[in-house]
């Protein structure tokens, strides 16, 4: 990710990553700009200037082909189905999304990390090994 961030400085394409809120943290920490694009292009990254966007108010949710709704393509926790309930109601009333949005509840390194409120790690990657979406992101390498 650090190599990609540096490559972005001179890249003629927009380099984005999936499931890595740490990438935008690296861009911001290193004050990495691109000479081919305005800084507004960075704002097109769903979690730029935000932490993991899964289910966040200004983030996104994923709608599956069968109408099922999950917080993110990498966080496979069922929130409901748009064929059974209004998407706005699901998004606003979900106890799962309420827990995701309460970043002070993050556990382990993510909960104690100095960039907790800027990054928060990838909640999907955190969920997979231990089935706890609030656990530490095992893919984080920033101390």
């Amino acid at each position: 990710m650090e190599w990609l961030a540096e490559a972005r400085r001179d890249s003629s394409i927009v380099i984005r990553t999936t499931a890595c809120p740490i990438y935008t943290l690296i861009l911001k920490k290193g004050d990495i700009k691109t000479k081919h694009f305005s800084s507004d292009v960075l704002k097109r990254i769903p979690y730029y200037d935000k932490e993991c966007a899964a289910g966040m108010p200004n983030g996104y949710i994923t709608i599956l082909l069968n109408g099922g709704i999950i917080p993110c393509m990498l966080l496979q926790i069922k929130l409901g189905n748009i064929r059974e309930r209004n998407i706005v109601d699901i998004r606003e009333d979900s106890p799962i999304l309420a827990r995701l949005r309460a970043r002070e509840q993050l556990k382990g390194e993510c909960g104690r990390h100095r960039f907790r409120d800027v990054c928060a790690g990838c909640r999907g990657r955190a969920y997979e090994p231990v089935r706890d979406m609030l656990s530490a992101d095992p893919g984080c390498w920033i101390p």
Side-chain angles (χ1 to χ4, degrees):
M1 290 302 142
E2 291 165 347
W3 181 87
L4 279 176
E6 282 301 321
R8 185 183 187 127
R9 288 187 197 273
D10 195 36
S11 177
S12 60
I13 61 170
V14 176
I15 299 172
R16 294 172 48 172
T17 62
T18 303
C20 193
I22 299 164
Y23 178 67
T24 57
L25 177 62
I26 293 167
L27 293 175
K28 290 164 74 174
K29 247 180 80 180
D31 196 30
I32 294 174
K33 309 279 188 242
T34 61
K35 68 180 182 182
H36 299 282
F37 300 98
S38 71
S39 60
D40 290 340
V41 172
L42 292 177
K43 294 178 183 170
R44 294 182 190 162
I45 300 173
Y47 39 78
Y48 189 76
D49 274 341
K50 300 169 210 67
E51 64 281 8
C52 174
M56 296 302 283
N58 293 319
Y60 53 76
I61 56 176
T62 300
I63 302 173
L64 304 172
L65 289 173
N66 67 1
I69 299 176
I70 56 178
C72 169
M73 62 184 174
L74 298 173
L75 184 54
Q76 303 280 319
I77 298 175
K78 187 175 180 181
L79 301 174
N81 192 297
I82 60 171
R83 294 180 178 154
E84 300 165 4
R85 194 161 174 236
N86 181 295
I87 190 170
V88 174
D89 292 340
I90 293 170
R91 186 175 166 95
E92 292 177 2
D93 300 338
S94 169
I96 293 168
L97 293 181
R99 288 186 65 217
L100 270 177
R101 293 171 184 154
R103 297 304 196 198
E104 68 278 358
Q105 291 185 21
L106 290 177
K107 301 172 184 172
E109 285 299 313
C110 286
R112 295 185 298 273
H113 205 277
R114 60 191 164 120
F115 296 118
R116 179 192 76 188
D117 297 327
V118 179
C119 172
C122 172
R123 298 297 89 219
R125 202 168 42 223
Y127 179 77
E128 282 308 312
V130 294
R131 296 295 190 243
D132 182 352
M133 67 185 180
L134 300 177
S135 67
D137 177 350
C140 180
W141 68 95
I142 298 177

